[in-house]
């Protein structure tokens, strides 16, 4: 019963993260195309817009701030795996469970808490780029910090549930565990 | 209370060894220490008020924008068989000589390392690509594994290396800080381009040393590096003439690398712009060689997304860690230690290099660049070290660390993809000559620093 509920929640969050990840992975291609266009326009036609340059930074920021959760789900964040790789499946689950509870969640919650006012002020004044001709959307890019904390916390909760069910299950039938070699 | 900063460092090493992702271990442990410290008045939480602005600084950093673009370029070259074609082309040209395949592996590995800039990616690719071929052609196991590990780690220093982009960003702020501390209010700057230029000569020396070793073996122990049989060469070439192969497989990737690197070195383009052009060029190259499918493009994008997120999460974690470290007065502590160090700047540099070498056993260059370098670099630079020299020495030092048994990363990576018949002891023994060459290079650079500083001074004045 509990295991079912855990699995269901994990599936919902995983699905959500997977979907976001698939979408933002296209941003990397957009960044390449935009940067290439900027170079061609500047060196070929002597044209350049600050707004266009800044837009690449927005895609960039959104990519890695939202990508952190997707990368966590896929086990892409580097670990020091000298000992970790020798742990059993349950041993790894203990590390990941404790890590998510005592390291990941506090950090995400703290970053959300300490950045909230910072972002709120940017929204209140509808902060614009300090550059002439820049994008008037600085409040949006500052909000990426909050999006980062929320998405990573959500995925962190999924990791807690996933590893909890690994520990609760006695059979060898376990959901796939993050396996990333540093 | 400064000793809490040191205790935090020790605890974080322990937490890291448990194997939870590095970025979150750094940030989480620091936060825990901040909470404990503030509960008995040893830590002031207002220190962390600077965090949101730092995070926004990461989002808004134009230099670091080069990272996803270079990663994209590397992932594209890696997945589109360009490296494989390149290796085949080279073995066709040089295979008939003793050691020719070895030289080809060095050159292809160098190009691949330079483009991906990620140790793991290069070692794994070369391990899968070149190791079976080398063993099949009768190359010595120790030499084959050694050379693949060594060329794989070249990605640290051969520009356009991502390690140098990250180091350039960190060193430029460290250099500003050092000069402000010294009372210089119109500070000089150091850029990613400076580091790229500084890495050219040492990188070439290293590649030449590797090649000289290979040629030396061909002369004195030719049985270790046999030549490829003519019929095997015919098989590799699959009916294509030399001209076709050179034009098709050799020239385009070389042209791409030189365009990217040249435009940065000669100041035509910023590293970010060059990276964008390089990524676009790699994509077009894959398209022309009919290697680009939608599935491959998606794989490239996803691996770019993951590697970029991984790098930047470490940067986020490290910025929280270093704020707490500073809040505990850790920077003054380190500074005090350095000032008491016998031997002045030389003693301090030696200690820093030793610590970085040892940390290289458990941490990747990204963590070391973001956590250790911001703490030690301003102090060393204020003692009069040249920032470009320091950056290149750190990069080569880490590269050596990644090669050194039993903990070097490159060895783990190769072990992961090498055939079971290859003994771990052979891998360990195989890298020893290459470690010796690295150490030799570092000695040369320490004795003649102008090997590093000459080119940047020449180009940028």
């Amino acid at each position: 019963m509990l295991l079912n509920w855990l699995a269901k929640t994990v599936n919902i969050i995983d699905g959500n993260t997977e979907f976001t990840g698939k979408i933002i992975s296209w941003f990397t291609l957009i960044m390449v195309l935009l940067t290439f266009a900027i170079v061609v326009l500047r060196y070929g036609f002597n044209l350049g817009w600050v707004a266009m340059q800044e837009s690449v930074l927005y895609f960039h920021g959104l990519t890695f701030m939202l990508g952190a959760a997707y990368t966590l789900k896929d086990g892409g964040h580097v670990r020091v795996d000298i000992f970790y790789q020798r742990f059993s499946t349950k041993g790894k689950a203990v590390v990941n469970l404790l890590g998510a509870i005592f390291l990941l969640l506090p950090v995400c919650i703290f970053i959300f808490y300490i950045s909230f006012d910072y972002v709120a002020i940017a929204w209140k004044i509808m902060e614009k780029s300090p550059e002439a001709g820049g994008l008037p959307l600085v409040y949006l890019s500052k909000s990426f910090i909050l999006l980062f904390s929320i998405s990573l916390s959500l995925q962190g909760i999924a990791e807690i549930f996933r590893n909890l069910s690994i520990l609760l299950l006695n059979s060898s039938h376990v959901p796939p565990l993050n396996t990333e070699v540093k | 209370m400064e000793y809490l900063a040191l205790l935090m460092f020790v605890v974080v090493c322990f937490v890291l060894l448990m194997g939870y992702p590095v970025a979150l271990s750094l940030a989480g442990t620091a936060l825990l220490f901040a909470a404990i410290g503030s509960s008995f008045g040893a830590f002031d939480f207002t220190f962390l008020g600077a965090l949101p602005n730092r995070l926004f600084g990461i989002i808004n950093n134009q230099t670091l924008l080069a990272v996803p673009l270079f990663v994209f370029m590397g992932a594209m070259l890696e997945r589109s068989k360009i490296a494989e074609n390149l290796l085949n082309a080279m073995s066709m040209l040089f295979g008939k000589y003793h050691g020719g395949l070895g030289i080809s592996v060095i050159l292809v590995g160098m190009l691949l390392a330079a483009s991906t800039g990620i140790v793991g990616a290069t070692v794994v690719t070369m391990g899968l690509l070149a190791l079976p071929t080398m063993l099949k052609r009768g190359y010595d196991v120790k030499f084959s594994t050694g050379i693949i590990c060594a060329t794989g780690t070249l990605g640290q220093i051969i520009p356009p290396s991502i390690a140098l982009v990250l180091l350039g960003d960190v060193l430029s702020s460290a250099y500003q800080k050092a000069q402000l501390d010294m009372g210089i209010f119109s500070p000089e700057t150091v850029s990613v381009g400076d580091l790229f230029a500084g890495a050219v000569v040492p990188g070439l020396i290293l590649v030449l040393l590797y090649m000289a070793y290979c040629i030396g073996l061909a002369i004195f122990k030719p049985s270790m590096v046999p030549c490829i049989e003519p019929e095997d060469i015919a098989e590799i070439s699959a009916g294509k003439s030399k001209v076709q192969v050179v034009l098709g497989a050799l020239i385009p990737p070389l042209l791409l690398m030189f365009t990217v690197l040249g435009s940065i070195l000669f100041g035509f383009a910023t590293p970010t712009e060059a990276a964008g052009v390089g990524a676009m060029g790699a994509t077009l190259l894959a398209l022309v060689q009919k290697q680009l499918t939608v599935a491959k493009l998606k794989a490239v994008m996803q691996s770019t997304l993951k590697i970029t997120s991984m790098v930047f999460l470490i940067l986020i974690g490290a910025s929280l860690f270093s704020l707490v470290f500073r809040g505990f007065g850790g920077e003054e502590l380190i500074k005090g230690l350095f000032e008491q160090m016998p031997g002045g700047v030389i003693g301090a540099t030696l200690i820093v290099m030793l610590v970085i070498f040892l940390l290289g056993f458990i941490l990747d260059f990204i963590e070391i660049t973001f956590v250790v370098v911001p703490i030690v670099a301003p102090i060393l630079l204020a003692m009069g070290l040249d920032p470009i020299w320091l950056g290149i020495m750190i990069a080569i030092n880490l590269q050596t660390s990644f090669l050194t048994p039993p903990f070097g990363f490159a060895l783990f990576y190769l072990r992961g993809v090498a055939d079971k018949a290859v003994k771990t002891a052979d891998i360990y023994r195989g890298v020893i000559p290459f470690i010796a060459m690295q150490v030799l290079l570092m000695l040369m650079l320490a004795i003649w620093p102008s090997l590093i500083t000459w080119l940047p001074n020449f180009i940028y004045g």
Side-chain angles (χ1 to χ4, degrees):
Chain A
M1 186 63 212
L2 175 66
L3 281 175
N4 270 340
W5 183 80
L6 288 178
K8 209 178 276 173
T9 318
V10 169
N11 277 340
I12 293 172
I13 299 177
D14 273 2
N16 185 31
T17 307
E18 183 76 30
F19 179 71
T20 320
K22 287 269 152 62
I23 290 182
I24 55 174
S25 72
W26 285 94
F27 289 179
T28 61
L29 182 64
I30 295 177
M31 281 159 61
V32 170
L33 295 175
L34 271 175
T35 311
F36 185 69
I38 289 169
V39 173
V40 171
L41 287 175
R42 173 178 311 166
Y43 295 96
F45 302 94
N46 230 343
L47 285 172
W49 293 279
V50 177
M52 191 168 169
Q53 287 198 349
E54 287 189 353
S55 68
V56 187
L57 277 174
Y58 281 63
F59 281 112
H60 171 56
L62 206 51
T63 304
F64 69 81
M65 290 307 250
L66 279 179
Y70 177 69
T71 310
L72 180 73
K73 183 180 89 56
D74 265 30
H77 289 296
V78 280
R79 306 168 181 271
V80 176
D81 65 354
I82 301 173
F83 300 116
Y84 182 82
Q85 61 178 347
R86 297 192 192 129
F87 292 165
S88 65
T89 311
K90 296 220 167 180
K92 287 178 180 164
V94 171
V95 169
N96 288 325
L97 180 67
L98 296 180
I101 295 174
F102 293 106
L103 302 168
L104 186 149
L105 279 185
V107 168
C108 288
I109 294 168
F110 176 74
I111 289 180
F112 187 91
Y113 164 79
I114 202 156
S115 309
F116 190 82
D117 284 347
Y118 179 79
V119 179
I121 290 169
W123 275 86
K124 199 174 277 170
I125 59 171
M126 291 307 233
E127 191 173 351
K128 293 180 173 57
S129 165
E131 307 275 332
L135 291 172
L137 302 170
V138 172
Y139 55 95
L140 276 186
S141 82
K142 284 189 173 171
S143 312
F144 296 167
I145 303 174
L146 301 183
L147 283 179
F148 160 81
S149 333
I150 296 168
S151 61
L152 194 57
S153 312
L154 263 180
Q155 191 55 41
I157 291 169
E159 298 305 318
I160 292 174
F161 288 176
R162 190 193 331 270
N163 290 298
L164 203 59
S165 38
I166 292 174
L167 292 174
L168 292 175
L169 268 176
N170 276 322
S171 69
S172 57
H173 175 74
V174 283
L177 186 71
N178 299 340
T179 48
E180 175 71 12
V181 183
K182 177 164 186 233
Chain B
M1 111 176 185
E2 298 89 53
Y3 289 97
L4 272 176
L6 281 193
L7 184 65
M8 181 168 92
F9 225 106
V10 175
V11 172
V12 97
C13 284
F14 177 75
V15 174
L16 284 173
L17 285 175
M18 298 316 297
Y20 198 65
V22 172
L24 296 163
S25 303
L26 282 171
T29 313
L31 197 60
L32 213 65
F33 264 82
I36 296 169
S38 76
S39 72
F40 53 90
F43 185 83
D44 185 357
F45 252 99
T46 49
F47 257 102
L48 298 181
L51 187 65
N53 207 21
R54 283 210 175 184
L55 296 182
F56 181 62
I58 298 173
I59 296 179
N60 227 6
N61 186 319
Q62 186 80 38
T63 310
L64 295 180
L65 180 54
V67 171
L69 300 171
F70 274 135
V71 173
F72 192 103
M73 169 177 152
M76 185 58 87
L77 288 179
E78 192 194 325
R79 299 207 181 227
S80 58
K81 281 193 173 173
I82 288 170
E84 199 177 330
N85 293 342
L86 197 60
L87 187 63
N88 281 339
M90 292 235 181
S91 11
M92 225 183 109
L93 293 179
F94 303 125
K96 60 174 180 272
Y97 307 107
H98 281 282
L101 181 59
I103 302 271
S104 311
V105 168
I106 296 174
L107 291 175
V108 175
M110 178 184 89
L111 280 177
L112 192 68
S115 62
T116 58
I118 291 174
V119 175
T122 322
V123 175
V124 167
T125 312
M126 292 303 287
L128 290 171
L129 205 69
L131 188 60
T133 318
M134 294 179 87
L135 297 181
K136 199 167 83 189
R137 310 277 180 233
Y139 267 60
D140 181 67
V141 181
K142 291 192 284 293
F143 174 74
S144 309
T145 52
I147 204 152
I148 286 173
C149 289
T151 48
T153 55
L154 275 176
Q156 294 291 298
I157 60 158
I158 302 272
S161 120
I162 293 172
L164 292 181
V165 175
L166 301 177
L167 255 178
D169 188 58
V170 171
L171 277 177
S172 82
S173 44
Y175 195 38
Q176 303 261 340
K177 189 162 175 272
Q179 292 179 89
L180 284 177
D181 287 350
M182 289 191 293
I184 302 169
F185 289 102
S186 55
E188 290 175 29
T189 55
V190 53
S191 68
V192 174
D194 287 329
L195 280 189
F196 279 4
V200 169
V201 175
L204 283 180
I205 295 179
L206 202 51
V207 171
L208 288 177
L209 282 174
Y210 290 175
M211 284 165 67
Y213 177 64
C214 186
I215 293 168
L217 280 184
I219 296 170
F220 297 107
K221 289 191 174 163
S223 63
M224 282 171 79
V225 286
C227 37
I228 306 178
E229 302 295 324
E231 51 266 37
D232 286 338
I233 292 185
E235 187 196 316
I236 299 171
S237 60
K240 285 185 195 153
S241 73
K242 270 188 184 160
V243 181
Q244 270 178 316
V245 168
V246 168
L247 286 181
L250 209 56
I251 300 291
L254 286 179
L255 204 63
L256 181 68
M257 294 310 301
F258 284 118
T259 316
V260 169
L261 197 53
S263 60
I264 300 172
L265 289 183
F266 295 109
F268 295 137
T270 64
T272 305
E273 289 168 342
V277 174
M280 192 69 193
T283 313
L284 293 178
L285 209 59
L287 200 64
V288 170
Q289 300 200 349
K290 300 196 175 64
Q291 292 291 345
L292 192 66
T293 58
V294 176
K296 267 187 193 157
L297 179 64
K298 280 186 177 166
V300 168
M301 294 187 317
Q302 270 164 32
S303 107
T304 309
L305 170 64
K306 277 185 224 162
I307 294 173
T308 310
S309 307
M310 181 271 282
V311 172
F312 282 89
L313 188 65
I314 294 173
L315 186 45
I316 291 169
S319 51
L320 182 55
F321 183 85
S322 60
L323 274 179
V324 175
F325 188 77
R326 183 177 301 171
F328 276 122
E331 289 194 344
E332 284 82 47
L333 183 74
I334 302 272
K335 198 172 168 192
L337 279 179
F338 279 8
E339 278 161 359
Q340 290 161 17
M341 195 79 68
V345 65
I346 297 175
T349 312
L350 272 176
I351 292 288
V352 166
M353 289 298 169
L354 186 68
V355 169
I356 289 181
F357 182 82
L358 293 176
L359 282 174
F361 285 161
I362 57 166
L363 296 178
D364 209 342
F365 72 81
I366 314 164
E367 295 93 308
I368 292 174
T369 306
F370 293 145
V371 178
V372 182
V373 177
I375 296 170
V376 295
I379 309 169
L380 287 179
L381 294 177
M383 292 168 107
L385 280 189
D386 183 279
I388 304 175
W389 184 86
L390 181 64
I392 303 300
M393 286 301 269
I394 290 175
I396 299 177
N397 187 10
L398 275 179
Q399 189 204 350
T400 316
S401 169
F402 295 156
L403 268 184
T404 304
F407 292 122
F409 281 128
L411 312 172
F412 286 139
Y413 286 127
L414 188 66
R415 178 68 277 174
V417 295
D419 194 76
K420 291 282 169 291
V422 175
K423 286 203 226 64
T424 306
D426 284 338
I427 299 183
Y428 285 0
R429 249 179 272 143
V431 289
I432 290 171
F434 295 96
I435 296 172
M437 286 179 245
Q438 307 265 26
V439 174
L440 178 70
L441 176 69
M442 279 200 277
L443 281 177
M444 284 164 69
L445 297 176
I447 299 170
W448 301 295
S450 55
L451 286 175
I452 293 174
T453 51
W454 172 76
L455 190 63
N457 287 338
F458 178 75
I459 295 179
Y460 302 108

